[in-house]
Short mmCIF file of all heavy atoms in Angstrom, two decimals:
data_model
loop_
_atom_site.label_atom_id
_atom_site.label_comp_id
_atom_site.label_asym_id
_atom_site.label_seq_id
_atom_site.Cartn_x
_atom_site.Cartn_y
_atom_site.Cartn_z
N MET A 1 6.76 6.88 -22.08
CA MET A 1 6.00 7.04 -20.82
C MET A 1 6.77 6.37 -19.70
O MET A 1 7.24 5.26 -19.81
CB MET A 1 4.68 6.53 -20.89
CG MET A 1 3.84 6.68 -19.74
SD MET A 1 2.02 6.50 -19.93
CE MET A 1 1.85 4.87 -19.85
N ALA A 2 6.93 6.99 -18.60
CA ALA A 2 7.74 6.45 -17.44
C ALA A 2 6.89 5.43 -16.70
O ALA A 2 5.67 5.55 -16.65
CB ALA A 2 8.10 7.60 -16.46
N ARG A 3 7.62 4.42 -16.26
CA ARG A 3 6.86 3.34 -15.51
C ARG A 3 6.60 3.94 -14.07
O ARG A 3 7.35 4.64 -13.46
CB ARG A 3 7.82 2.11 -15.39
CG ARG A 3 7.89 1.42 -16.73
CD ARG A 3 8.78 0.22 -16.67
NE ARG A 3 8.72 -0.53 -15.53
CZ ARG A 3 9.65 -1.40 -15.12
NH1 ARG A 3 10.71 -1.62 -15.92
NH2 ARG A 3 9.59 -2.16 -14.08
N PRO A 4 5.42 3.56 -13.56
CA PRO A 4 5.06 4.06 -12.21
C PRO A 4 6.00 3.42 -11.14
O PRO A 4 6.52 2.31 -11.33
CB PRO A 4 3.66 3.49 -12.01
CG PRO A 4 3.46 2.43 -12.95
CD PRO A 4 4.42 2.71 -14.15
N GLU A 5 6.28 4.22 -10.10
CA GLU A 5 7.11 3.67 -9.03
C GLU A 5 6.33 2.64 -8.27
O GLU A 5 5.20 2.83 -7.81
CB GLU A 5 7.50 4.78 -8.09
CG GLU A 5 8.33 4.27 -6.95
CD GLU A 5 8.66 5.43 -6.00
OE1 GLU A 5 8.20 6.57 -6.08
OE2 GLU A 5 9.50 5.24 -5.07
N MET A 6 6.92 1.43 -8.14
CA MET A 6 6.30 0.39 -7.37
C MET A 6 7.08 0.06 -6.12
O MET A 6 8.33 -0.12 -6.17
CB MET A 6 6.20 -0.97 -8.22
CG MET A 6 5.47 -0.77 -9.55
SD MET A 6 3.77 -0.28 -9.31
CE MET A 6 3.07 -1.78 -8.73
N LEU A 7 6.37 0.04 -4.99
CA LEU A 7 7.00 -0.10 -3.69
C LEU A 7 6.78 -1.51 -3.12
O LEU A 7 5.76 -2.07 -3.29
CB LEU A 7 6.44 0.88 -2.69
CG LEU A 7 6.52 2.32 -3.07
CD1 LEU A 7 5.64 3.22 -2.24
CD2 LEU A 7 7.95 2.88 -3.10
N LYS A 8 7.80 -1.96 -2.49
CA LYS A 8 7.71 -3.33 -1.81
C LYS A 8 6.91 -3.06 -0.51
O LYS A 8 6.91 -2.00 0.06
CB LYS A 8 9.06 -3.89 -1.52
CG LYS A 8 9.79 -4.19 -2.74
CD LYS A 8 11.18 -4.73 -2.34
CE LYS A 8 12.04 -5.11 -3.59
NZ LYS A 8 13.32 -5.59 -3.24
N LEU A 9 6.26 -4.17 -0.02
CA LEU A 9 5.40 -4.04 1.15
C LEU A 9 6.20 -3.55 2.36
O LEU A 9 5.63 -2.65 3.08
CB LEU A 9 4.70 -5.39 1.45
CG LEU A 9 3.69 -5.32 2.60
CD1 LEU A 9 2.62 -4.31 2.37
CD2 LEU A 9 3.07 -6.69 2.82
N PRO A 10 7.43 -4.09 2.62
CA PRO A 10 8.17 -3.59 3.79
C PRO A 10 8.38 -2.04 3.70
O PRO A 10 8.42 -1.35 4.63
CB PRO A 10 9.45 -4.33 3.80
CG PRO A 10 9.15 -5.62 3.07
CD PRO A 10 8.11 -5.24 2.07
N GLU A 11 8.69 -1.53 2.52
CA GLU A 11 8.85 -0.12 2.30
C GLU A 11 7.52 0.65 2.67
O GLU A 11 7.58 1.72 3.31
CB GLU A 11 9.21 0.24 0.88
CG GLU A 11 10.53 -0.36 0.46
CD GLU A 11 10.77 -0.25 -1.06
OE1 GLU A 11 9.84 -0.32 -1.86
OE2 GLU A 11 11.95 -0.02 -1.40
N VAL A 12 6.45 0.16 2.26
CA VAL A 12 5.15 0.85 2.53
C VAL A 12 4.87 0.82 4.05
O VAL A 12 4.45 1.76 4.64
CB VAL A 12 4.00 0.08 1.75
CG1 VAL A 12 2.64 0.70 2.22
CG2 VAL A 12 4.20 0.35 0.24
N LEU A 13 5.11 -0.38 4.68
CA LEU A 13 4.87 -0.48 6.06
C LEU A 13 5.73 0.40 6.88
O LEU A 13 5.22 1.05 7.90
CB LEU A 13 5.04 -1.96 6.51
CG LEU A 13 4.18 -3.04 5.93
CD1 LEU A 13 4.57 -4.38 6.37
CD2 LEU A 13 2.72 -2.75 6.32
N LYS A 14 6.96 0.68 6.47
CA LYS A 14 7.85 1.56 7.21
C LYS A 14 7.36 2.98 7.03
O LYS A 14 7.33 3.74 7.94
CB LYS A 14 9.30 1.36 6.61
CG LYS A 14 10.24 2.28 7.42
CD LYS A 14 11.58 2.01 6.88
CE LYS A 14 12.59 2.97 7.65
NZ LYS A 14 13.96 2.82 7.12
N GLU A 15 6.91 3.35 5.81
CA GLU A 15 6.49 4.68 5.54
C GLU A 15 5.24 5.05 6.31
O GLU A 15 5.10 6.08 6.87
CB GLU A 15 6.22 4.85 4.06
CG GLU A 15 5.83 6.24 3.69
CD GLU A 15 5.71 6.54 2.19
OE1 GLU A 15 6.49 5.82 1.47
OE2 GLU A 15 4.92 7.31 1.77
N ILE A 16 4.28 4.05 6.41
CA ILE A 16 3.03 4.39 7.12
C ILE A 16 3.14 4.06 8.58
O ILE A 16 2.09 4.34 9.31
CB ILE A 16 1.82 3.77 6.41
CG1 ILE A 16 1.90 2.25 6.49
CG2 ILE A 16 1.69 4.15 5.04
CD1 ILE A 16 0.68 1.47 5.91
N GLY A 17 4.20 3.36 9.02
CA GLY A 17 4.34 3.08 10.45
C GLY A 17 3.30 2.02 10.95
O GLY A 17 2.74 2.26 12.01
N MET A 18 3.21 0.96 10.20
CA MET A 18 2.21 -0.04 10.52
C MET A 18 2.83 -1.40 10.48
O MET A 18 3.72 -1.67 9.61
CB MET A 18 1.03 0.09 9.55
CG MET A 18 -0.13 -0.81 9.81
SD MET A 18 -1.52 -0.58 8.61
CE MET A 18 -2.04 1.10 9.16
N SER A 19 2.36 -2.31 11.30
CA SER A 19 2.77 -3.72 11.20
C SER A 19 2.15 -4.42 10.04
O SER A 19 1.03 -4.02 9.57
CB SER A 19 2.49 -4.47 12.52
OG SER A 19 1.08 -4.74 12.64
N ARG A 20 2.78 -5.47 9.64
CA ARG A 20 2.22 -6.31 8.52
C ARG A 20 0.83 -6.85 8.90
O ARG A 20 -0.03 -6.86 8.08
CB ARG A 20 3.15 -7.47 8.20
CG ARG A 20 2.71 -8.36 7.09
CD ARG A 20 3.72 -9.46 6.86
NE ARG A 20 5.07 -8.97 6.47
CZ ARG A 20 5.49 -8.84 5.21
NH1 ARG A 20 4.73 -9.32 4.23
NH2 ARG A 20 6.69 -8.40 5.01
N ALA A 21 0.64 -7.33 10.17
CA ALA A 21 -0.57 -7.84 10.64
C ALA A 21 -1.68 -6.80 10.56
O ALA A 21 -2.84 -7.08 10.09
CB ALA A 21 -0.46 -8.48 11.99
N ALA A 22 -1.42 -5.61 11.04
CA ALA A 22 -2.40 -4.50 11.00
C ALA A 22 -2.70 -4.14 9.59
O ALA A 22 -3.95 -3.90 9.29
CB ALA A 22 -1.87 -3.31 11.75
N PHE A 23 -1.76 -4.15 8.71
CA PHE A 23 -1.95 -3.83 7.32
C PHE A 23 -2.91 -4.88 6.66
O PHE A 23 -3.94 -4.50 6.00
CB PHE A 23 -0.72 -3.77 6.50
CG PHE A 23 -0.86 -3.51 5.12
CD1 PHE A 23 -0.90 -2.12 4.63
CD2 PHE A 23 -0.94 -4.45 4.07
CE1 PHE A 23 -1.10 -1.77 3.33
CE2 PHE A 23 -1.11 -4.16 2.79
CZ PHE A 23 -1.17 -2.80 2.43
N TYR A 24 -2.71 -6.15 6.94
CA TYR A 24 -3.53 -7.15 6.36
C TYR A 24 -4.96 -7.22 6.90
O TYR A 24 -5.90 -7.58 6.30
CB TYR A 24 -2.88 -8.54 6.43
CG TYR A 24 -1.86 -8.68 5.23
CD1 TYR A 24 -0.55 -8.64 5.44
CD2 TYR A 24 -2.34 -8.93 3.91
CE1 TYR A 24 0.40 -8.79 4.36
CE2 TYR A 24 -1.45 -9.09 2.87
CZ TYR A 24 -0.14 -9.01 3.07
OH TYR A 24 0.75 -9.13 1.97
N ARG A 25 -5.10 -6.76 8.17
CA ARG A 25 -6.37 -6.58 8.77
C ARG A 25 -7.19 -5.58 8.04
O ARG A 25 -8.36 -5.66 7.69
CB ARG A 25 -6.29 -6.33 10.29
CG ARG A 25 -5.98 -7.57 11.13
CD ARG A 25 -6.33 -7.29 12.61
NE ARG A 25 -5.47 -6.17 13.12
CZ ARG A 25 -4.19 -6.35 13.66
NH1 ARG A 25 -3.67 -7.49 13.75
NH2 ARG A 25 -3.66 -5.24 14.13
N MET A 26 -6.47 -4.35 7.83
CA MET A 26 -7.14 -3.30 7.04
C MET A 26 -7.49 -3.76 5.67
O MET A 26 -8.58 -3.40 5.17
CB MET A 26 -6.18 -2.06 7.02
CG MET A 26 -6.09 -1.34 8.26
SD MET A 26 -5.08 0.16 8.10
CE MET A 26 -5.99 1.10 6.95
N ARG A 27 -6.61 -4.55 5.06
CA ARG A 27 -6.82 -5.02 3.70
C ARG A 27 -8.12 -5.94 3.67
O ARG A 27 -8.92 -5.88 2.74
CB ARG A 27 -5.62 -5.77 3.21
CG ARG A 27 -5.76 -6.23 1.75
CD ARG A 27 -4.40 -6.82 1.22
NE ARG A 27 -4.63 -7.15 -0.12
CZ ARG A 27 -4.63 -8.38 -0.58
NH1 ARG A 27 -4.39 -9.41 0.28
NH2 ARG A 27 -4.78 -8.65 -1.85
N ALA A 28 -8.22 -6.79 4.69
CA ALA A 28 -9.41 -7.72 4.79
C ALA A 28 -10.68 -6.86 4.86
O ALA A 28 -11.79 -7.36 4.47
CB ALA A 28 -9.30 -8.65 5.98
N ARG A 29 -10.66 -5.69 5.47
CA ARG A 29 -11.80 -4.85 5.59
C ARG A 29 -11.99 -3.92 4.41
O ARG A 29 -12.88 -3.08 4.38
CB ARG A 29 -11.64 -3.97 6.87
CG ARG A 29 -11.74 -4.75 8.18
CD ARG A 29 -11.82 -3.80 9.38
NE ARG A 29 -10.78 -2.84 9.41
CZ ARG A 29 -9.68 -2.88 10.26
NH1 ARG A 29 -9.55 -3.90 11.00
NH2 ARG A 29 -8.81 -1.91 10.23
N GLY A 30 -11.05 -4.01 3.43
CA GLY A 30 -11.12 -3.19 2.22
C GLY A 30 -10.69 -1.74 2.44
O GLY A 30 -11.11 -0.88 1.77
N GLN A 31 -9.81 -1.55 3.41
CA GLN A 31 -9.43 -0.18 3.80
C GLN A 31 -7.96 0.08 3.51
O GLN A 31 -7.39 1.18 3.89
CB GLN A 31 -9.65 0.08 5.26
CG GLN A 31 -11.09 0.01 5.71
CD GLN A 31 -11.34 0.05 7.17
OE1 GLN A 31 -10.39 -0.36 8.01
NE2 GLN A 31 -12.45 0.47 7.58
N ALA A 32 -7.23 -0.78 2.79
CA ALA A 32 -5.85 -0.71 2.55
C ALA A 32 -5.65 -0.24 1.10
O ALA A 32 -6.52 -0.44 0.26
CB ALA A 32 -5.13 -1.94 2.80
N PRO A 33 -4.41 0.27 0.75
CA PRO A 33 -4.23 0.68 -0.64
C PRO A 33 -4.16 -0.67 -1.52
O PRO A 33 -3.91 -1.76 -1.05
CB PRO A 33 -2.81 1.34 -0.61
CG PRO A 33 -2.25 1.09 0.68
CD PRO A 33 -3.33 0.72 1.63
N LYS A 34 -4.41 -0.44 -2.79
CA LYS A 34 -4.46 -1.59 -3.76
C LYS A 34 -3.13 -2.21 -3.89
O LYS A 34 -2.15 -1.56 -4.05
CB LYS A 34 -4.95 -1.07 -5.11
CG LYS A 34 -5.07 -2.05 -6.14
CD LYS A 34 -5.52 -1.48 -7.46
CE LYS A 34 -5.50 -2.51 -8.55
NZ LYS A 34 -5.86 -1.86 -9.84
N LEU A 35 -3.13 -3.55 -3.81
CA LEU A 35 -1.94 -4.42 -3.95
C LEU A 35 -1.92 -4.93 -5.32
O LEU A 35 -2.97 -5.29 -5.93
CB LEU A 35 -1.85 -5.52 -2.98
CG LEU A 35 -1.77 -5.20 -1.48
CD1 LEU A 35 -1.75 -6.51 -0.74
CD2 LEU A 35 -0.51 -4.46 -1.22
N ARG A 36 -0.74 -5.17 -5.87
CA ARG A 36 -0.51 -5.86 -7.13
C ARG A 36 0.37 -7.06 -6.82
O ARG A 36 1.49 -6.93 -6.30
CB ARG A 36 0.12 -4.99 -8.14
CG ARG A 36 -0.79 -3.88 -8.57
CD ARG A 36 -0.22 -3.09 -9.80
NE ARG A 36 -1.16 -2.18 -10.27
CZ ARG A 36 -1.24 -0.87 -9.91
NH1 ARG A 36 -0.53 -0.46 -8.88
NH2 ARG A 36 -2.19 -0.11 -10.41
N LYS A 37 -0.21 -8.30 -7.11
CA LYS A 37 0.64 -9.47 -6.85
C LYS A 37 1.37 -9.90 -8.08
O LYS A 37 0.74 -9.98 -9.11
CB LYS A 37 -0.33 -10.52 -6.35
CG LYS A 37 0.34 -11.70 -5.76
CD LYS A 37 -0.48 -12.63 -4.99
CE LYS A 37 0.24 -13.65 -4.19
NZ LYS A 37 -0.64 -14.45 -3.35
N LEU A 38 2.73 -10.11 -7.96
CA LEU A 38 3.51 -10.48 -9.04
C LEU A 38 3.47 -12.03 -9.24
O LEU A 38 3.02 -12.69 -8.30
CB LEU A 38 4.95 -10.06 -8.80
CG LEU A 38 5.18 -8.56 -8.50
CD1 LEU A 38 6.71 -8.29 -8.23
CD2 LEU A 38 4.76 -7.77 -9.70
N PRO A 39 3.79 -12.51 -10.40
CA PRO A 39 3.77 -13.97 -10.64
C PRO A 39 4.59 -14.75 -9.66
O PRO A 39 4.26 -15.87 -9.35
CB PRO A 39 4.35 -14.08 -12.10
CG PRO A 39 4.04 -12.77 -12.69
CD PRO A 39 4.16 -11.77 -11.63
N ASN A 40 5.61 -14.15 -9.15
CA ASN A 40 6.46 -14.90 -8.12
C ASN A 40 5.92 -14.83 -6.66
O ASN A 40 6.53 -15.29 -5.74
CB ASN A 40 7.92 -14.39 -8.14
CG ASN A 40 8.01 -12.94 -7.69
OD1 ASN A 40 7.08 -12.30 -7.27
ND2 ASN A 40 9.17 -12.43 -7.78
N GLY A 41 4.69 -14.24 -6.43
CA GLY A 41 4.04 -14.12 -5.22
C GLY A 41 4.37 -12.92 -4.39
O GLY A 41 3.69 -12.67 -3.33
N GLN A 42 5.30 -12.13 -4.82
CA GLN A 42 5.61 -10.86 -4.13
C GLN A 42 4.42 -9.87 -4.42
O GLN A 42 3.77 -9.93 -5.42
CB GLN A 42 6.93 -10.24 -4.56
CG GLN A 42 8.12 -11.21 -4.14
CD GLN A 42 9.42 -10.57 -4.58
OE1 GLN A 42 9.50 -9.59 -5.25
NE2 GLN A 42 10.51 -11.21 -4.23
N VAL A 43 4.32 -8.87 -3.56
CA VAL A 43 3.34 -7.86 -3.78
C VAL A 43 4.05 -6.51 -3.95
O VAL A 43 5.11 -6.29 -3.34
CB VAL A 43 2.28 -7.74 -2.61
CG1 VAL A 43 1.43 -8.98 -2.62
CG2 VAL A 43 2.93 -7.56 -1.28
N ARG A 44 3.38 -5.57 -4.67
CA ARG A 44 3.84 -4.29 -4.78
C ARG A 44 2.67 -3.32 -4.71
O ARG A 44 1.51 -3.73 -5.03
CB ARG A 44 4.49 -4.05 -6.23
CG ARG A 44 5.75 -4.93 -6.43
CD ARG A 44 6.93 -4.39 -5.69
NE ARG A 44 8.17 -5.06 -6.08
CZ ARG A 44 8.60 -6.14 -5.57
NH1 ARG A 44 7.94 -6.76 -4.62
NH2 ARG A 44 9.78 -6.73 -5.98
N ILE A 45 2.95 -2.07 -4.33
CA ILE A 45 1.99 -1.08 -4.24
C ILE A 45 2.52 0.18 -5.04
O ILE A 45 3.66 0.58 -4.77
CB ILE A 45 1.67 -0.71 -2.75
CG1 ILE A 45 1.18 -1.90 -1.96
CG2 ILE A 45 0.70 0.54 -2.69
CD1 ILE A 45 1.10 -1.70 -0.51
N SER A 46 1.72 0.68 -5.89
CA SER A 46 2.28 1.80 -6.68
C SER A 46 2.19 3.08 -5.79
O SER A 46 1.39 3.19 -4.85
CB SER A 46 1.29 2.06 -7.88
OG SER A 46 0.13 2.73 -7.56
N ARG A 47 3.15 3.91 -6.09
CA ARG A 47 3.24 5.21 -5.30
C ARG A 47 1.98 6.01 -5.47
O ARG A 47 1.50 6.54 -4.46
CB ARG A 47 4.50 6.00 -5.88
CG ARG A 47 4.58 7.44 -5.37
CD ARG A 47 4.50 7.62 -3.91
NE ARG A 47 5.71 7.04 -3.26
CZ ARG A 47 5.81 6.91 -1.96
NH1 ARG A 47 4.90 7.44 -1.12
NH2 ARG A 47 6.91 6.38 -1.43
N ALA A 48 1.35 6.03 -6.63
CA ALA A 48 0.14 6.76 -6.91
C ALA A 48 -1.01 6.17 -6.03
O ALA A 48 -1.75 6.94 -5.42
CB ALA A 48 -0.25 6.66 -8.35
N ASP A 49 -1.14 4.85 -5.89
CA ASP A 49 -2.15 4.24 -5.11
C ASP A 49 -1.93 4.48 -3.70
O ASP A 49 -2.87 4.83 -2.88
CB ASP A 49 -2.20 2.77 -5.31
CG ASP A 49 -2.79 2.36 -6.68
OD1 ASP A 49 -3.40 3.13 -7.29
OD2 ASP A 49 -2.59 1.12 -7.04
N LEU A 50 -0.67 4.51 -3.21
CA LEU A 50 -0.36 4.77 -1.75
C LEU A 50 -0.68 6.25 -1.43
O LEU A 50 -1.36 6.51 -0.43
CB LEU A 50 1.07 4.45 -1.42
CG LEU A 50 1.46 4.76 -0.04
CD1 LEU A 50 0.65 3.86 0.97
CD2 LEU A 50 2.97 4.47 0.14
N ASP A 51 -0.30 7.17 -2.38
CA ASP A 51 -0.66 8.55 -2.10
C ASP A 51 -2.13 8.83 -2.10
O ASP A 51 -2.55 9.61 -1.25
CB ASP A 51 0.08 9.42 -3.18
CG ASP A 51 1.56 9.42 -3.04
OD1 ASP A 51 2.15 9.05 -1.97
OD2 ASP A 51 2.25 9.86 -3.95
N ALA A 52 -2.85 8.18 -3.02
CA ALA A 52 -4.28 8.40 -3.03
C ALA A 52 -4.91 7.86 -1.70
O ALA A 52 -5.85 8.44 -1.18
CB ALA A 52 -4.91 7.67 -4.22
N TRP A 53 -4.39 6.70 -1.22
CA TRP A 53 -4.94 6.11 0.03
C TRP A 53 -4.65 7.06 1.14
O TRP A 53 -5.50 7.30 1.95
CB TRP A 53 -4.25 4.75 0.24
CG TRP A 53 -4.65 4.06 1.51
CD1 TRP A 53 -5.80 3.45 1.84
CD2 TRP A 53 -3.85 4.12 2.72
NE1 TRP A 53 -5.76 2.99 3.08
CE2 TRP A 53 -4.61 3.34 3.68
CE3 TRP A 53 -2.58 4.60 3.06
CZ2 TRP A 53 -4.05 3.17 4.94
CZ3 TRP A 53 -2.08 4.29 4.28
CH2 TRP A 53 -2.86 3.62 5.26
N TRP A 54 -3.46 7.62 1.24
CA TRP A 54 -3.09 8.59 2.26
C TRP A 54 -4.03 9.77 2.27
O TRP A 54 -4.59 10.24 3.28
CB TRP A 54 -1.71 9.09 2.09
CG TRP A 54 -0.60 8.40 2.88
CD1 TRP A 54 0.54 7.85 2.35
CD2 TRP A 54 -0.44 8.25 4.27
NE1 TRP A 54 1.25 7.33 3.27
CE2 TRP A 54 0.64 7.54 4.51
CE3 TRP A 54 -1.25 8.58 5.35
CZ2 TRP A 54 1.15 7.24 5.77
CZ3 TRP A 54 -0.86 8.25 6.65
CH2 TRP A 54 0.32 7.57 6.83
N GLU A 55 -4.33 10.22 1.08
CA GLU A 55 -5.33 11.36 0.84
C GLU A 55 -6.67 10.98 1.38
O GLU A 55 -7.29 11.78 2.06
CB GLU A 55 -5.26 11.77 -0.63
CG GLU A 55 -5.75 13.21 -0.87
CD GLU A 55 -5.00 14.27 -0.16
OE1 GLU A 55 -3.80 14.26 -0.04
OE2 GLU A 55 -5.68 15.24 0.30
N SER A 56 -7.15 9.78 1.10
CA SER A 56 -8.43 9.41 1.54
C SER A 56 -8.52 9.29 3.04
O SER A 56 -9.49 9.55 3.67
CB SER A 56 -8.91 8.13 0.94
OG SER A 56 -8.19 7.01 1.39
N CYS A 57 -7.40 8.88 3.65
CA CYS A 57 -7.33 8.74 5.20
C CYS A 57 -7.43 10.16 5.73
O CYS A 57 -8.07 10.39 6.72
CB CYS A 57 -6.01 8.12 5.54
SG CYS A 57 -5.93 6.36 5.25
N THR A 58 -6.87 11.13 5.12
CA THR A 58 -6.89 12.51 5.58
C THR A 58 -8.28 13.03 5.55
O THR A 58 -8.74 13.70 6.41
CB THR A 58 -5.92 13.36 4.81
OG1 THR A 58 -4.60 12.82 4.93
CG2 THR A 58 -5.83 14.79 5.33
N GLU A 59 -8.96 12.80 4.43
CA GLU A 59 -10.35 13.26 4.21
C GLU A 59 -11.26 12.64 5.29
O GLU A 59 -12.11 13.36 5.76
CB GLU A 59 -10.80 12.91 2.87
CG GLU A 59 -10.07 13.63 1.73
CD GLU A 59 -10.41 13.10 0.34
OE1 GLU A 59 -11.21 12.21 0.22
OE2 GLU A 59 -9.81 13.66 -0.56
N HIS A 60 -11.10 11.34 5.54
CA HIS A 60 -12.02 10.76 6.60
C HIS A 60 -11.71 11.22 7.98
O HIS A 60 -12.56 11.28 8.85
CB HIS A 60 -11.83 9.22 6.51
CG HIS A 60 -12.36 8.64 5.31
ND1 HIS A 60 -11.66 7.76 4.45
CD2 HIS A 60 -13.59 8.74 4.69
CE1 HIS A 60 -12.38 7.43 3.47
NE2 HIS A 60 -13.60 7.95 3.59
N ALA A 61 -10.49 11.68 8.23
CA ALA A 61 -10.19 12.20 9.60
C ALA A 61 -10.61 13.56 9.84
O ALA A 61 -10.88 13.96 10.96
CB ALA A 61 -8.62 12.12 9.75
N ALA A 62 -10.90 14.28 8.77
CA ALA A 62 -11.35 15.75 8.92
C ALA A 62 -12.82 15.87 9.25
O ALA A 62 -13.55 15.05 9.16
CB ALA A 62 -11.05 16.48 7.62
#
């Protein structure tokens, strides 16, 4: 089974066109994609979680 693609936060921020501060504000409100924190403190977001989040944003906008 292939490992899921894990994106670094700067990659996600660039893709969605959002600042780090805005992303963390959304996260505090429970509106951001799920983060996974690594033991070294870095965070990753799976491609599947990001795609699902994008899809949910589209549904709410319609």
Side-chain angles (χ1 to χ4, degrees):
M1 183 162 83
R3 289 177 38 196
E5 181 183 8
M6 300 301 287
L7 305 168
K8 295 178 181 178
L9 186 56
E11 295 171 324
V12 171
L13 296 175
K14 183 176 180 183
E15 183 173 328
I16 64 177
M18 185 178 289
S19 71
R20 183 180 298 263
F23 181 85
Y24 277 104
R25 282 193 301 271
M26 285 184 64
R27 184 171 182 250
R29 294 189 306 258
Q31 298 173 333
K34 180 180 174 185
L35 295 179
R36 291 186 173 89
K37 194 165 191 176
L38 302 178
N40 64 3
Q42 294 181 357
V43 295
R44 297 288 188 272
I45 300 171
S46 77
R47 168 54 65 188
D49 288 343
L50 181 60
D51 291 344
W53 176 78
W54 267 122
E55 201 56 40
S56 72
C57 289
T58 304
E59 291 170 3
H60 290 128

